[in-house]
Amino acid sequence: MEEKIIIAGFGGQGVLSLGQFIAYAAIADGKEVTWLPSYGPEMRGGTSNCSVVVCDKQVASPIVAHPDCLIAMNKPSLYKFSDKVKAGGTIIVNSSLIPDKVERTDVKVVYIDAASLAMEAGNARTANIVVLGAYIGMSNLFPKETVKKMIEAKFANKPKVIPANLKAFELGYATAAK
Amino acid sequence: MKKLMKGNEAIAEAAVRGGCRAFFGYPITPQNEIPEYLSKRLPEVGGCFIQAESEVAAINMVYGAAGSGARAMTSSSSPGISLKQEGISYICGAELPCVIVNMVRGGPGLGGIQPAQSDYFQAVKGGGHGDYHMLVYGPNTVQEAVDIMYDAFDKADKYRMPVMILGDGMIGQIMEAVELPEMKDPAAFPKKEWATDGTGVGASRRIINSLYIEPDVLEKVNHRLFDRYKELEENELRYEEYLVEDAEIVIVAYGTVARISKSAVNALREKGIKAGLLRPITLYPFPAKAIAKVAAEANVKKFVAVELSMGQMIEDVKLAVNGAKPVEFYGRTGGNVMTPEDIVEFVEKEVK
Amino acid sequence: MATVFKKTKMLTDVPFHYCPGCTHGIAHRLVAECLEEIGCEGNVVGIAPVGCAVFAYNYFNVDIQEVAHGRAPAAATGVKRTHPDTIVFAYQGDGDLASIGTAEIVHAAARGENITVIFINNAIYGMTGGQMAPTTLIGQKSTTSQQGRTVPLNGNPIKVCEMLSTLDGPAYIARAALCDPANVAKAKKAIKRGFEMQMQKKGFSLIELLSTCPTNWGMTPVQATEYVKENMTKQFPLGVFKDIDKESK
C-alpha cells in the first residue's frame, strides 16, 4: 500500500502538526512514513502545507504531485491543490472556513465543520484533530485505537487537553465514517 | 526502537553519538535545527556550543578546536558554506579532521531557501583555493544521514580531512522514522599525537600549519593529500544500484532526488520501460568505475542525470561514461523540486 | 663569571627572520619570558598570524597553530574551549587584527574569551611590502598612500584598545611601546598581567605593542624608535585602558 496526503491551510491552523499526527500514527502502526513540510517565510501567517507518504515499505519519493487525499483547511489551499488529487481520491474540506463546494465529480468529498465540532469537543484549538478523526474515519488507514493512544502519548505533558482532543477525534471520526 | 525525527535534529543527535563535542555555527535557513538542537544537547555531554559572529569565524573555531584534538563540526547552507571556503581550504591544507554539513539551498547569490543541489561543484571539486578534496556524502534518507554522520568523525580522523555531508532543504526538514545508534565512548577514540593540546615543548612540539614556503615541500604535501584521496577511493567509495541489471535507461541521481528518481523508475517499469537507478552515496570519491562498467553493458542505451541544478554532477557522469553512451540531463533549479511524474515524462520522451 | 642575561627556554633556537631594527624580536622575547615566568611550560598553545610574524610557529617553544589572516581569535576560541586550562595566546599584527580580522577580535573580546592577544601595531603591512594599514597615521606614507594617508580618502586610524575597552568582556587591555628600555619593561609588565588574568580565568586580555618597521618606513632603526615615541604615541596613547581588578576596587 502507499497513501499520499497533502494537508494545507493557514499557518497556525495546526496543518503541520496534523500531518505529524498521521506520521506518528503510521509509525505506531508499523508503517514507513515521510513528512515533508513547506518551510520558509510562508509559514508566518501565509499558507502552509505538508506532504505525508505512508507506505508498507521504505518510502521512495517524499514529493507528492498527485495525492490520494487532500485535506484543505482554507480556501486558497483547496484551489491550489484540488485539481491535483488523483481520480478516485478524496478531498476533505474544512467547511467552517470554505463555503465553496468541490466541482470535481471524480473524487470523494467530505465536508467537515471543524470549528463547530472543536467547540463541541470543548476546545477551539482541536479543529485539526477533528479533521484527523475525519481522515481516519474516512480512510481507515490505521486502527482507531492506535491513533487515540498516539494522541494520548503526544499530549502526555499536557494531560488537561487530552479529553478534548480525544472527543474532537471521535466527533470527526463519526462524521466521516457515517 | 524507531523514532520519528526531523532530518536536521536526527543528524545533530547522530553527531553527538558519533563523538562530536564542539559545534561552531551561524544561523541560516534551512539548517537552523542543527545548531538549535546542539545548543541544548552538547552541554549535556560536556561539549561546547558557540554561535559564532560569522560563518568565517565559525569555521576558524572549528580549525582551532580540531587542531587541538576535539571532534568539532559546523553546519550551514549554501551562502554560509561559501563564506567558510577560506577556512575549509586551510583545514584541508593543515590536514585537520572535522565534519561540515551543508543543507543546500538555491543559488547563486542569496538565492532562495528551498532545496537545491547546486553546490555540487563546490563540494566535490574543492570549493576554496588550492589542490584539495574532502570526503563528501549525499545521503538520501534521514536514516542514511544519521548513519553517515555517526561514523563521519571516525573517517575524518582516519584520513585527517574534513567530511562533508551534502544534504538539501528536504533532507533537513523531512521527518522519518530513524533508529539512533548507541553513544560512542570518547575514551575509546584514537589519541591524536599531532594535536596541539598544549603539552608540546622542544622536540615534542606540535605545529598545525598549511604554510609551506618551499615549492618542493608543498608539492610533496599535495602529493600526500592526493595519495590519501586514492585510499578514499579504495576504502570509502559507496553507491547503490537499483534495477540496473537489465536497464536500458539508467538514471544517475543522489540525495533526495535519488528517491524521487526511484519512484520514477518504478513507474517507468510499470509502463514497460526498462529504467534503473545508479545512486552515488559518496560524491567524492565518485563511483566513476561503477558507472563506466554499466555504460559498457549492451542493454544500456542511455544515461539520464537528474539533479536540482542546471547540471553539475552530469559532468562527472559524462567523464565516467567517456562517450560510450549518450548522457542526457533533467533538472529543476531555483528551489523547485521535480516530481516522479516529471522524470517519467522526460524519460518517456527520451525513449521515443 | 656571573650570567646577566639568558635566553628564555620558551623560545626555540631558530634565528628570527625579522629585519634589522624590527621590534617583533623584542615582542617575541617578552611574550616568551612572561610564559616562562608564569610557569606554564608544557601547557600553552600559541596562535600565529598572517603577516610578518607568520613564522612565529618556528620561534615559540610551544604547541602552536598557524591560522588564516585575521582569524586568530576565532581559532584561539576553538583551542581554548577544547582545553580550558591551557594558556592560549594569539599573536597578531595590525592588518591581521584591526582590518581583516576586526569581527573576530571584537567578538572574542565581547565573549570575554579567556585568551591573551598580543597586538603588534607598526602602522604598516610589513610582509607584503609596506602598504597602508588600518593604524597608519594621518600623513604617513605607504606604498598604497604614497602622498601620505588622508582622512577624506582613507579614513582614520583605528584605536583598538580604546574601542575594545568599551566592551564588557575584556578583563585587561593595555597599550605599551617598544621604543626604549623603560617602555619595553612596561610592555613586559603588561603582557605578564594579561597572562595572569587568563590564568585566573578572568577573561579576555589584549596588549597592544607600538612597534617599528624601519624597512617599510624607510628609516634607520634609531629613527624608527624615535618615530614610535614622537608620532605613534600621540595617535595611540600609552596606558592601561581596562583592568577589571582595579575597577572593582
Side-chain angles (χ1 to χ4, degrees):
Chain A
M1 60 78 68
E2 190 180 47
E3 170 89 353
K4 298 178 218 165
I5 312 144
I6 289 180
I7 304 144
F10 290 124
Q13 277 187 304
V15 165
L16 299 185
S17 60
L18 170 48
Q20 284 183 4
F21 278 118
I22 296 172
Y24 283 118
I27 301 288
D29 196 41
K31 300 284 197 302
E32 298 277 348
V33 69
T34 57
W35 171 91
L36 182 66
S38 60
Y39 61 87
E42 65 175 13
M43 282 160 67
R44 319 244 180 260
T47 60
S48 166
N49 70 76
C50 61
S51 307
V52 179
V53 181
V54 181
C55 196
D56 46 18
K57 52 181 199 288
Q58 192 181 58
V59 178
S61 173
I63 297 285
V64 176
H66 301 292
D68 299 291
C69 177
L70 165 67
I71 298 176
M73 295 295 283
N74 67 0
K75 203 165 156 176
S77 301
L78 179 65
Y79 284 94
K80 187 173 177 188
F81 293 109
S82 62
D83 287 349
K84 295 183 173 155
V85 178
K86 272 185 197 163
T90 311
I91 301 178
I92 297 179
V93 178
N94 174 19
S95 59
S96 321
L97 285 184
I98 310 172
D100 311 34
K101 295 291 169 198
V102 175
E103 285 171 11
R104 283 180 64 173
T105 53
D106 60 344
V107 291
K108 185 182 168 190
V109 184
V110 176
Y111 297 95
I112 184 152
D113 186 356
S116 304
L117 291 172
M119 292 303 281
E120 194 182 327
N123 185 340
R125 295 176 63 190
T126 61
N128 62 339
I129 301 297
V130 170
V131 177
L132 174 68
Y135 174 68
I136 300 296
M138 181 277 305
S139 67
N140 276 315
L141 198 60
F142 315 117
K144 192 176 166 186
E145 290 310 312
T146 304
V147 183
K148 286 173 73 176
K149 262 187 212 153
M150 184 272 305
I151 291 173
E152 285 173 353
K154 286 294 137 195
F155 288 110
N157 56 351
K158 287 186 274 182
K160 271 189 198 163
V161 305
I162 292 175
N165 277 287
L166 288 177
K167 191 167 179 200
F169 177 78
E170 289 285 3
L171 288 170
Y173 189 93
T175 310
K178 263 174 207 166
Chain B
M1 175 61 191
K2 280 197 170 185
K3 202 177 160 191
L4 193 66
M5 279 184 98
K6 206 173 213 193
N8 281 334
E9 291 177 352
I11 288 168
E13 179 60 32
V16 172
R17 293 182 184 217
C20 176
R21 291 298 179 271
F23 180 95
F24 308 96
Y26 187 86
I28 183 168
T29 306
Q31 59 81 53
N32 291 316
E33 293 86 354
I34 296 178
E36 284 167 358
Y37 186 93
L38 289 173
S39 69
K40 180 169 181 287
R41 186 72 174 99
L42 275 173
E44 289 173 2
V45 293
C48 158
F49 172 91
I50 294 184
Q51 180 170 320
E53 61 270 28
S54 68
E55 299 280 8
V56 176
I59 193 71
N60 282 284
M61 289 175 186
V62 169
Y63 181 104
S68 286
R71 287 198 160 187
M73 73 176 284
T74 186
S75 69
S76 190
S77 180
S78 311
I81 295 290
S82 289
L83 280 164
K84 288 188 201 291
Q85 290 303 329
E86 173 202 52
I88 294 173
S89 172
Y90 278 69
I91 284 169
C92 291
E95 299 168 66
L96 299 179
C98 67
V99 177
I100 302 157
V101 178
N102 182 1
M103 289 299 173
V104 183
R105 58 188 247 184
L110 200 47
I113 59 168
Q114 299 304 323
Q117 295 183 316
S118 42
D119 296 356
Y120 177 89
F121 283 152
Q122 187 194 53
V124 307
K125 305 292 181 190
H129 60 283
D131 275 328
Y132 74 87
H133 292 282
M134 297 177 282
L135 176 53
V136 183
Y137 290 96
N140 75 331
T141 64
V142 175
Q143 185 67 57
E144 191 172 82
V146 161
D147 295 342
I148 287 169
M149 180 70 242
Y150 184 62
D151 289 332
F153 283 106
D154 296 339
K155 310 270 186 212
D157 282 354
K158 182 176 173 189
Y159 298 103
R160 284 190 63 179
M161 68 173 75
V163 171
M164 176 172 273
I165 298 179
L166 195 69
D168 60 50
M170 275 182 286
I171 203 84
Q173 297 298 322
I174 202 170
M175 281 181 100
E176 287 191 272
V178 284
E179 188 103 48
L180 288 168
E182 290 296 303
M183 184 79 91
K184 284 183 187 170
D185 177 12
F189 297 152
K191 179 105 178 70
K192 297 172 183 174
E193 297 298 342
W194 49 264
T196 57
D197 62 5
T199 58
V201 178
S204 70
R205 221 154 65 81
R206 275 74 53 105
I207 299 173
I208 300 296
N209 181 30
S210 66
L211 176 65
Y212 302 96
I213 216 82
E214 292 294 332
D216 287 347
V217 180
L218 180 53
E219 188 172 46
K220 237 184 225 170
V221 170
N222 287 341
H223 278 285
R224 182 169 74 222
L225 294 182
F226 275 71
D227 286 346
R228 229 172 274 161
Y229 303 149
K230 269 187 213 148
E231 280 180 55
L232 287 185
E233 191 149 350
E234 281 157 23
N235 305 333
E236 306 300 339
L237 190 71
R238 284 178 62 192
Y239 60 93
E240 180 196 351
E241 286 184 356
Y242 179 69
L243 303 179
V244 167
E245 208 160 85
D246 65 337
E248 292 176 1
I249 300 280
V250 177
I251 294 174
V252 185
Y254 69 95
T256 41
V257 174
R259 300 175 72 158
I260 300 168
S261 300
K262 201 174 201 176
S263 288
V265 165
N266 292 337
L268 286 162
R269 289 268 169 178
E270 277 172 28
K271 291 176 177 234
I273 296 170
K274 285 185 178 169
L277 171 71
L278 196 149
R279 176 173 78 89
I281 300 171
T282 49
L283 303 176
Y284 189 91
F286 191 73
K289 281 179 192 154
I291 291 174
K293 195 164 160 269
V294 171
E297 298 294 337
N299 53 288
V300 174
K301 289 183 179 146
K302 201 177 259 189
F303 285 83
V304 179
V306 180
E307 300 176 62
L308 293 178
S309 74
M310 292 302 289
Q312 299 196 7
M313 179 196 62
I314 187 173
E315 295 196 1
D316 285 334
V317 177
K318 281 183 173 171
L319 284 171
V321 171
N322 201 16
K325 299 285 160 65
V327 182
E328 305 297 337
F329 178 72
Y330 179 73
R332 293 298 302 274
T333 173
N336 281 319
V337 180
M338 71 282 288
T339 64
E341 289 79 355
D342 294 333
I343 301 171
V344 168
E345 198 181 315
F346 180 83
V347 172
E348 278 183 317
K349 268 188 216 151
E350 287 297 318
V351 173
K352 270 174 200 164
Chain C
M1 206 164 83
T3 303
V4 293
F5 179 80
K6 198 168 165 251
K7 184 176 79 71
T8 167
K9 60 184 176 181
M10 298 307 284
L11 286 175
T12 65
D13 290 333
V14 179
F16 293 148
H17 70 283
Y18 299 113
C19 304
C22 166
T23 48
H24 263 304
I26 297 173
H28 279 29
R29 176 172 60 79
L30 297 182
V31 170
E33 283 175 355
C34 289
L35 288 172
E36 181 175 350
E37 286 168 24
I38 61 168
C40 64
E41 186 186 1
N43 191 30
V44 187
V45 177
I47 307 289
V50 171
C52 282
V54 70
F55 295 117
Y57 57 80
N58 286 327
Y59 309 135
F60 288 106
N61 187 15
V62 298
D63 277 347
I64 194 159
Q65 298 191 0
E66 163 56 36
V67 306
H69 199 26
R71 318 301 175 216
T77 299
V79 175
K80 189 69 181 187
R81 298 293 178 124
T82 306
H83 300 289
D85 298 321
T86 296
I87 293 295
V88 177
F89 77 93
Y91 188 102
Q92 298 183 263
D94 42 52
D96 195 86
L97 182 143
S99 196
I100 202 165
T102 319
E104 284 80 3
I105 194 66
V106 168
H107 285 269
R111 280 194 302 271
E113 208 62 57
N114 194 30
I115 58 173
T116 301
V117 178
I118 309 300
F119 171 34
I120 306 299
N121 177 3
N122 60 8
I124 202 112
Y125 281 78
M127 175 62 100
T128 47
Q131 294 82 7
M132 190 186 68
T135 50
T136 294
L137 304 183
I138 300 301
Q140 192 179 351
K141 288 178 180 168
S142 74
T143 59
T144 51
S145 59
Q146 299 197 13
Q147 307 305 313
R149 179 178 186 153
T150 66
V151 174
L153 188 62
N154 310 116
N156 295 283
I158 292 180
K159 298 179 196 176
V160 168
C161 289
E162 287 84 343
M163 180 172 76
L164 295 184
S165 59
T166 65
L167 298 170
D168 295 324
Y172 181 74
I173 291 184
R175 182 184 289 127
L178 302 179
C179 58
D180 57 33
N183 277 296
V184 167
K186 279 186 191 167
K188 183 172 173 183
K189 213 176 136 194
I191 294 166
K192 199 165 171 186
R193 178 107 185 109
F195 281 132
E196 283 165 355
M197 285 289 194
Q198 185 182 163
M199 286 182 92
Q200 293 160 26
K201 299 196 192 279
K202 289 195 168 150
F204 181 87
S205 52
L206 179 141
I207 299 91
E208 176 174 341
L209 302 173
L210 301 184
S211 303
T212 62
C213 183
T215 301
N216 287 299
W217 289 357
M219 297 179 191
T220 65
V222 174
Q223 286 169 333
T225 51
E226 285 303 315
Y227 187 80
V228 170
K229 211 187 258 184
E230 295 305 319
N231 299 67
M232 285 188 76
T233 54
K234 289 201 178 81
Q235 174 68 31
F236 302 112
L238 306 182
V240 175
F241 292 81
K242 187 156 191 190
D243 186 326
I244 52 165
D245 279 357
K246 302 231 162 99
E247 278 169 22
S248 57
K249 269 170 201 169

